Amino acid sequence: MKHGWVGGLVTTATVTHATPAGFLAQSDKRDDEEGIATQYLERAIQVYLGGGYRFFDPALRSDKKDLLSGFREKGYAVLRSRDELLSQKSDKPLFGTFSESHIPYTVDHLNDPALLRSIPTLAEMTTAALTRLEHTGQGFLLQVEGAKIDHAAHVNDAPGLVRDQIAFDDAIGVALRFQAEHPDTLVVVTTDHGNSNPGLFGQGDGYGDSDKLFSKVGRMSRSYSAISGDWYADMTIGELTSLIHDGTGIELSASEAGLVLDAIRSHGPNPYTYQNAAIPTLASILANHTAVSWGGTSHTGDYVTLTAQGPGASSLPSLLINTDLNAFYRKCMARA
Amino acid sequence: MKHGWVGGLVTTATVTHATPAGFLAQSDKRDDEEGIATQYLERAIQVYLGGGYRFFDPALRSDKKDLLSGFREKGYAVLRSRDELLSQKSDKPLFGTFSESHIPYTVDHLNDPALLRSIPTLAEMTTAALTRLEHTGQGFLLQVEGAKIDHAAHVNDAPGLVRDQIAFDDAIGVALRFQAEHPDTLVVVTTDHGNSNPGLFGQGDGYGDSDKLFSKVGRMSRSYSAISGDWYADMTIGELTSLIHDGTGIELSASEAGLVLDAIRSHGPNPYTYQNAAIPTLASILANHTAVSWGGTSHTGDYVTLTAQGPGASSLPSLLINTDLNAFYRKCMARA
């Protein structure tokens, strides 16, 4: 971090996950989140907000170290709930972890009153982070990650992905409103890779059905991942059909539900084996009903979005290698 | 067309297909290619190069009209082969149709000596078009379409798509070299829609296998579509495995080949029904071997590439609705 600058990390993953940790910690192992958590206490930047209290809580850490007390001793507001975050003044650095591991999908968050009370949205965390960072009066670097978009893509979870993309868009709105009031701020929006290549596909005569089919995703009340938490190998076709209907509003035929049950028990029919786990099998079947389909379940080599607004934005080239963004950030900070 | 300007259409589809025809003809029915061909003779722009002589040849037209003689009477060089195109001087307008319907896939073209002799590449057609248009000494609008990329995507044909994308890239090279020598030329590269969302997917430990797997596509000698022209419902698994190996270099297991044979006979196993025709079923199986996978077989709502170089390029916004390109072209022509 440039001398005199302060920093913040906001994410819907564990706050020690690869994307935030890549900005602050050094580790050979991305999975050593307990070690990364220990580094976070040493680094002591102004804002940590996300999931993953299991890596900080002495009752859950393998070494029983109490990092939460460590943050309190360093003067942090240590937060565990949305109410605590929203009522927090800007006079302290923030350490908030709102779930044991990753934060739930937005579609599940929106449809569960208990989760709505306990867990803030990405936009709310972004607002709290900017309020604290602005209060310091110093230059700052804040990373805000909509992490569940990637998680949803890995299992072809359409309501998971769409609602978390919208939640990320809300967080971008918070950043752009801040930028409008503080025009010396640079906002960069990007992602580190493609994932599973979701698309809205043309279906029906003259591709005329796609909009109507896609609107079904907007009416779904559970992520496919949450639904999968309630299915099991011994259930009947009728029970599975009912479970899927309750979460998605879509009534599968007996043969469609049978394919999902096969996938739950062993594997689904997709000849591309990366897509024959149970949730992607459900997703492939629901693609017929929603017009949202996917090419796989892993990262892809696709070009991705990169946009920027504020000082330095116009010096960003139209195309660049993702690792070159590091040099761009350094140049912008050096000029600031 | 602006007064005093001349025009050209170059494509690997039938020259009367929707994308070229959209620039020149008016018709309620995109499939009325005979009617569009008749309009082409009336419009009489400087260059027509592509496939589809069936819509111009009196022996093949339903109304037996001889449009080829019509073009000759109007002073065109009427061409049917690559040799005729390459030996053509720039003193005449060009009408060249090099196949009865669409031009074959580049991967099939490259691997067939007879086709190599008879059919020019997209880059060769582009060079001939620019030579003629430059010779007129007038301003010009030339549309060059790499049409087979879309055709390949519709059936998830990886060698078809990749080789035709490279052929299109070669044509872009011709245009950019012309632009470098004639800096008053604007080159715009874009497409009208996404299709089937192909991707190079991460496969293997740490996604380390993808590059090696993808290189297999470069060694394929036939499009999946060409292979499909030689398969039939009564063939044995062994015959099918051998046919696929001859074209792709990949040896399918008996169970993999069995899935393709099922698809040839009725339909494949993909639960997304848009992908269970025979060629997409082969493509889904080969995705395990090549790391190239697809999300469907229809057009998609994805953002697509739009780049430009030359006068007016800097006035192109970062994002726009595809139909707004028409106004952009008109504005550029008005300024020229």
Side-chain angles (χ1 to χ4, degrees):
Chain A
M1 187 72 67
K2 184 178 170 182
H3 183 70
W5 281 48
V6 294
L9 295 173
V10 173
T11 181
T12 46
T14 57
V15 74
T16 45
H17 207 243
T19 299
F23 267 53
L24 189 63
Q26 289 194 307
S27 175
D28 288 344
K29 299 191 192 100
R30 61 180 286 164
D31 291 336
D32 178 22
E33 296 191 58
E34 291 196 353
I36 289 165
T38 306
Q39 290 187 31
Y40 278 13
L41 179 59
E42 291 161 13
R43 302 281 196 272
I45 63 171
Q46 285 292 321
V47 176
Y48 301 92
L49 296 173
Y53 57 69
R54 59 190 283 211
F55 303 119
F56 297 89
D57 189 321
L60 297 166
R61 276 180 66 99
S62 57
D63 61 7
K64 309 294 174 197
K65 261 196 214 165
D66 186 357
L67 299 190
L68 298 177
S69 294
F71 278 105
R72 274 188 208 96
E73 284 158 20
K74 288 200 171 190
Y76 281 77
V78 174
L79 316 165
R80 186 64 71 90
S81 75
R82 176 174 184 264
D83 280 350
E84 289 173 9
L85 180 72
L86 298 187
S87 61
Q88 181 56 36
K89 300 284 196 309
S90 57
D91 58 339
K92 288 181 178 180
L94 303 176
F95 180 87
T97 44
F98 305 99
S99 57
E100 187 176 328
S101 180
H102 303 309
I103 284 177
Y105 286 109
T106 296
V107 65
D108 300 319
H109 184 215
L110 289 173
N111 288 285
D112 183 327
L115 289 179
L116 271 180
R117 276 191 303 277
S118 62
I119 297 181
T121 66
L122 188 62
E124 288 168 342
M125 292 194 286
T126 304
T127 299
L130 287 169
T131 303
R132 171 59 194 166
L133 291 167
E134 186 188 8
H135 182 86
T136 67
Q138 295 177 269
F140 68 83
L141 182 65
L142 170 66
Q143 187 203 55
V144 177
E145 184 196 20
K148 303 291 291 183
I149 297 164
D150 174 73
H151 301 183
H154 273 301
V155 289
N156 301 351
D157 189 329
L161 183 132
V162 170
R163 288 287 172 199
D164 267 272
Q165 189 74 55
I166 293 169
F168 185 62
D169 198 58
D170 290 342
I172 294 171
V174 170
L176 290 179
R177 283 190 291 278
F178 184 91
Q179 203 273 334
E181 288 165 19
H182 305 80
D184 58 342
T185 308
L186 171 66
V187 177
V188 178
V189 180
T190 190
T191 181
D192 44 355
H193 52 73
N195 189 333
S196 301
N197 289 19
L200 180 62
F201 281 76
Q203 291 189 194
D205 189 33
Y207 295 157
D209 293 349
S210 300
D211 283 353
K212 189 186 66 194
L213 295 173
F214 182 49
S215 70
K216 294 183 191 177
V217 176
R219 292 193 293 275
M220 292 180 179
S221 58
R222 297 187 83 187
S223 66
Y224 300 166
S225 306
I227 292 171
S228 80
D230 287 340
W231 66 34
Y232 49 95
D234 292 340
M235 73 197 306
T236 65
I237 295 274
E239 287 166 341
L240 181 59
T241 304
S242 169
L243 173 70
I244 292 167
H245 181 266
D246 285 351
T248 66
I250 293 171
E251 183 88 19
L252 295 191
S253 70
S255 68
E256 288 175 323
L259 293 175
V260 180
L261 200 52
D262 287 346
I264 293 168
R265 290 171 178 166
S266 55
H267 61 81
N270 200 310
Y272 183 47
T273 57
Y274 283 77
Q275 285 184 287
N276 67 19
I279 305 177
T281 296
L282 173 63
S284 291
I285 291 165
L286 289 177
N288 298 292
H289 300 264
T290 62
V292 176
S293 187
W294 313 73
T297 55
S298 57
H299 296 177
T300 67
D302 277 48
Y303 289 103
V304 297
T305 301
L306 171 62
T307 62
Q309 187 163 314
S314 61
S315 71
L316 206 56
S318 297
L319 291 171
L320 87 173
I321 302 290
N322 58 0
T323 50
D324 288 351
L325 264 183
N326 181 278
F328 171 77
Y329 292 143
R330 287 174 185 275
K331 210 165 57 181
C332 290
M333 290 177 79
R335 272 199 303 251
Chain B
M1 187 72 66
K2 184 178 171 182
H3 183 70
W5 282 48
V6 294
L9 295 173
V10 173
T11 181
T12 47
T14 57
V15 74
T16 45
H17 207 243
T19 298
F23 267 54
L24 189 62
Q26 289 194 308
S27 174
D28 287 344
K29 300 190 192 101
R30 60 179 287 164
D31 291 336
D32 179 22
E33 296 191 57
E34 290 196 355
I36 289 165
T38 306
Q39 291 188 30
Y40 278 14
L41 179 60
E42 292 161 13
R43 302 280 195 274
I45 62 171
Q46 285 292 321
V47 176
Y48 301 92
L49 296 173
Y53 58 69
R54 58 190 284 210
F55 302 118
F56 298 89
D57 189 321
L60 298 167
R61 276 181 66 98
S62 57
D63 61 7
K64 309 294 174 198
K65 262 197 215 165
D66 185 358
L67 300 190
L68 297 177
S69 294
F71 277 106
R72 273 188 209 96
E73 283 158 21
K74 288 201 170 189
Y76 280 77
V78 174
L79 315 166
R80 187 64 72 91
S81 75
R82 176 174 184 264
D83 281 350
E84 288 173 10
L85 180 73
L86 297 188
S87 60
Q88 181 56 36
K89 300 284 195 310
S90 57
D91 58 340
K92 290 181 177 179
L94 303 176
F95 180 86
T97 44
F98 304 99
S99 57
E100 187 175 329
S101 180
H102 303 310
I103 284 177
Y105 287 110
T106 296
V107 65
D108 300 319
H109 184 215
L110 289 173
N111 288 285
D112 183 327
L115 289 179
L116 270 180
R117 275 191 304 277
S118 63
I119 297 181
T121 66
L122 188 62
E124 288 168 343
M125 292 194 286
T126 304
T127 299
L130 287 169
T131 302
R132 171 59 194 168
L133 291 167
E134 186 188 8
H135 183 86
T136 67
Q138 296 176 268
F140 67 84
L141 182 65
L142 170 66
Q143 187 202 55
V144 177
E145 183 196 20
K148 303 291 291 184
I149 297 165
D150 175 72
H151 302 183
H154 273 301
V155 289
N156 301 352
D157 189 329
L161 183 132
V162 170
R163 288 287 173 198
D164 268 272
Q165 189 74 55
I166 293 170
F168 185 62
D169 198 59
D170 290 342
I172 294 171
V174 170
L176 290 180
R177 283 190 291 278
F178 184 91
Q179 203 274 334
E181 287 166 18
H182 305 80
D184 58 342
T185 309
L186 171 66
V187 177
V188 178
V189 180
T190 190
T191 182
D192 44 355
H193 52 73
N195 188 333
S196 301
N197 289 18
L200 179 62
F201 280 76
Q203 291 189 193
D205 189 33
Y207 295 156
D209 293 350
S210 300
D211 283 353
K212 190 186 65 194
L213 295 173
F214 182 48
S215 70
K216 293 183 190 177
V217 176
R219 292 193 293 276
M220 293 180 180
S221 58
R222 297 187 84 186
S223 65
Y224 300 166
S225 306
I227 292 170
S228 80
D230 287 339
W231 67 34
Y232 50 94
D234 292 339
M235 74 197 306
T236 65
I237 294 274
E239 287 166 342
L240 180 59
T241 305
S242 169
L243 173 70
I244 292 167
H245 180 265
D246 286 350
T248 66
I250 293 171
E251 183 88 18
L252 295 191
S253 70
S255 68
E256 288 175 323
L259 294 174
V260 180
L261 201 52
D262 287 346
I264 294 167
R265 290 171 177 166
S266 55
H267 61 81
N270 200 311
Y272 183 47
T273 58
Y274 283 77
Q275 285 183 287
N276 68 19
I279 305 177
T281 296
L282 172 63
S284 291
I285 291 165
L286 289 177
N288 298 292
H289 299 265
T290 62
V292 176
S293 187
W294 313 73
T297 55
S298 58
H299 296 177
T300 67
D302 277 48
Y303 289 104
V304 297
T305 300
L306 171 62
T307 62
Q309 187 162 313
S314 62
S315 71
L316 205 56
S318 297
L319 291 171
L320 86 173
I321 302 290
N322 58 0
T323 49
D324 288 351
L325 264 183
N326 181 278
F328 171 77
Y329 292 143
R330 287 174 185 275
K331 209 166 58 181
C332 290
M333 290 177 78
R335 272 199 305 251

